[in-house]
Amino acid sequence: MIPITRPCLNEKEAQAAYDVVMSGWVVQGPKVLEFEEVFAAYTGSRYAIAVSSCTTALHLALKVAAIGVGDEVICPSMSYIATANSIVHSGAVPVFAEVKPVTYNLDIEDAARRITNKTKAILLVHQIGMPADIDGFSSLCKKHNLILIEDAACALGSEYKGKRIGSHNDLVCFSFHPRKVITTGDGGMVCTNNKAFADRLRTLRQHSMDLSPLDRHNNESKMAVEKYDEVGYNYRMTDIQAAVGIEQMKKMADIVSSRRSIAYKYHDAFKHIHWIDLPYEPSNCISNYQSYSIYLNKKAPIKRDEFMTIMTQKGISTRRGIMTAHIERAYADLNYKLPVTEDLSENSVLIPIYAGLSEEDISYIIRAVIELDNRTN
């Protein structure tokens, strides 16, 4: 079975993890600091703060942005449910807005219509690695005095107007889940250009302790005693994860290049299939193609689920289109109707794409889809 994705891991990551285990310092230590420095340099942000997941990254971003009870945060429903969950964890209410059918990213006009006097932030998702309209949403937020937070869980290595995602704004959150471009097993990162945000993020992830583990270690002879000025969280990253992340970052150029190469092979092979709409990459963006989503339009001779069944029978893994949070039981009581979002989710499907996908498997996937097209014509 050709998997939908596969982490790009080998003996170098295994050795890096082993070395940390043998060092005796396995959590929130020197490797986490090194990973943060490497990550900040890559994205072009001033600071990078490692945490336990992208969900906790989003929660802390909302926290330092002073989002809380009674506030509203506009976000897409068409995103993994963690996007909305992070808003609820902060005490605020998610306000779901429509997405654009060509990019799957938040529709700025619909988002603007949903701004009220309770709106305090917009949580902008770069869906499946395709950069959203950062400048447009920055202007909208500035006009209404809102905070812009980027959910860049899928967007490491993607670029918007010549700069990598992570460098444009003060709160940008990444994921290192195995489905993402690089992985640390799990984990997350918040990038910021705001020193005050960076300092507070570092404190909050460690139960709000005013000394970092490294500071405490380096000051043991001075009997330093830490203080806790507010209620914090245990959102730490381990040095084992960070060591793996450092090795993964060394592969970023090759990983993104490989994904883009596969995506363009799919583009070229499928562009003449009239019932499939392919991913759209705006001219001012570069996508990492964290996923490759095809949309079965109104001319499609089969339904999405039938397409997936046929691919499975051929030994090709697929996944449904990006989920919609508002139709899940957790959020159904909010009673949203988002026809564009629902149509995209119900009629799109993800096909395999990852660094290391063999030429043989790429050709096999392409032939399977073309054969299906020929069979149904």
Side-chain angles (χ1 to χ4, degrees):
M1 197 76 173
I2 301 173
I4 191 73
T5 191
R6 177 178 287 157
C8 188
L9 298 167
N10 60 27
E11 65 279 358
K12 291 185 178 180
E13 284 84 358
Q15 183 64 52
Y18 174 84
D19 291 344
V20 170
V21 169
M22 297 307 294
S23 76
W25 195 328
V26 295
V27 67
Q28 201 65 66
K31 282 297 179 181
V32 170
L33 178 60
E34 182 182 350
F35 184 33
E36 291 172 336
E37 291 171 346
V38 168
F39 200 88
Y42 178 83
T43 58
S45 59
R46 289 183 65 191
Y47 311 100
I49 296 87
V51 291
S52 56
S53 71
C54 188
T55 307
T56 57
L58 290 166
H59 182 209
L60 290 187
L62 289 157
K63 180 80 173 178
V64 301
I67 306 301
V69 177
D71 296 335
E72 293 179 350
V73 178
I74 295 171
C75 69
S77 168
M78 192 177 188
S79 181
Y80 186 58
I81 202 165
T83 302
N85 286 351
S86 66
I87 296 168
V88 174
H89 292 328
S90 74
V93 176
V95 174
F96 296 122
E98 277 286 21
V99 295
K100 287 284 192 180
V102 291
T103 64
Y104 300 4
N105 282 327
L106 202 58
D107 183 329
I108 193 167
E109 294 177 355
D110 192 61
R113 285 192 289 268
R114 297 175 190 272
I115 295 172
T116 71
N117 58 6
K118 293 182 178 180
T119 308
K120 294 297 185 293
I122 294 177
L123 186 44
L124 184 65
V125 179
H126 303 295
Q127 195 50 263
I128 58 178
M130 196 67 71
D133 181 9
I134 296 173
D135 285 355
F137 279 95
S138 293
S139 296
L140 179 65
C141 287
K142 184 176 181 180
K143 178 181 178 181
H144 294 276
N145 194 30
L146 307 177
I147 295 286
L148 180 63
I149 300 172
E150 295 176 47
D151 181 341
C154 299
L156 180 61
S158 297
E159 298 181 17
Y160 175 79
K161 294 188 176 180
K163 295 172 61 179
R164 286 181 180 141
I165 300 298
S167 60
H168 298 85
N169 283 303
D170 281 340
L171 291 167
V172 187
C173 302
F174 295 88
S175 171
F176 307 127
H177 182 274
R179 284 281 301 272
K180 304 305 187 289
V181 175
I182 68 167
T183 186
T184 58
D186 207 341
M189 191 78 76
V190 186
C191 284
T192 183
N193 296 314
N194 183 313
K195 186 178 185 303
F197 281 172
D199 291 343
R200 190 151 183 250
L201 287 163
R202 291 191 188 100
T203 302
L204 284 170
R205 72 174 171 188
Q206 177 81 4
H207 295 291
S208 293
M209 185 168 68
D210 69 341
L211 289 176
S212 72
L214 281 170
D215 289 337
R216 187 165 56 176
H217 175 76
N218 293 333
N219 287 280
E220 279 184 344
S221 62
K222 300 177 183 177
M223 300 296 290
V225 178
E226 71 275 9
K227 295 184 178 63
Y228 303 85
D229 292 332
E230 63 177 316
V231 176
Y233 308 91
N234 181 3
Y235 287 171
R236 294 169 294 193
M237 174 178 280
T238 71
D239 271 38
I240 301 169
Q241 292 171 290
V244 171
I246 292 165
E247 292 302 318
Q248 289 274 279
M249 290 299 294
K250 296 174 183 177
K251 303 176 181 179
M252 272 300 301
D254 290 340
I255 290 173
V256 174
S257 176
S258 176
R259 285 177 170 274
R260 289 182 58 78
S261 175
I262 296 166
Y264 275 88
K265 287 184 173 88
Y266 287 157
H267 289 350
D268 188 59
F270 303 149
K271 64 185 178 183
H272 300 300
I273 300 178
H274 69 285
W275 50 273
I276 288 178
D277 293 347
L278 303 177
Y280 171 74
E281 185 177 54
S283 60
N284 61 359
C285 296
I286 293 176
S287 175
N288 63 12
Y289 286 98
Q290 182 270 336
S291 293
Y292 193 91
S293 179
I294 59 176
Y295 171 75
L296 277 59
N297 62 38
K298 299 294 189 291
K299 301 173 186 175
I302 59 174
K303 296 294 185 182
R304 190 269 309 274
D305 289 356
E306 185 180 354
F307 177 96
M308 294 176 69
T309 298
I310 292 169
M311 291 298 109
T312 299
Q313 291 169 348
K314 292 178 177 291
I316 300 168
S317 296
T318 59
R319 293 291 184 273
R320 64 171 181 168
I322 301 144
M323 70 171 292
T324 49
H326 75 280
I327 67 170
E328 299 296 328
R329 179 181 291 183
Y331 294 101
D333 289 347
L334 297 178
N335 294 316
Y336 276 86
K337 299 294 182 184
L338 301 169
V340 175
T341 292
E342 292 160 16
D343 175 64
L344 285 174
S345 181
E346 291 167 6
N347 294 294
S348 59
V349 57
L350 309 183
I351 63 174
I353 187 168
Y354 55 90
L357 184 61
S358 71
E359 291 296 327
E360 180 182 1
D361 284 346
I362 295 167
S363 296
Y364 179 72
I365 293 163
I366 288 171
R367 286 198 307 274
V369 177
I370 291 175
E371 286 170 4
L372 177 57
D373 178 47
N374 292 337
R375 197 183 82 189
T376 54
N377 278 338

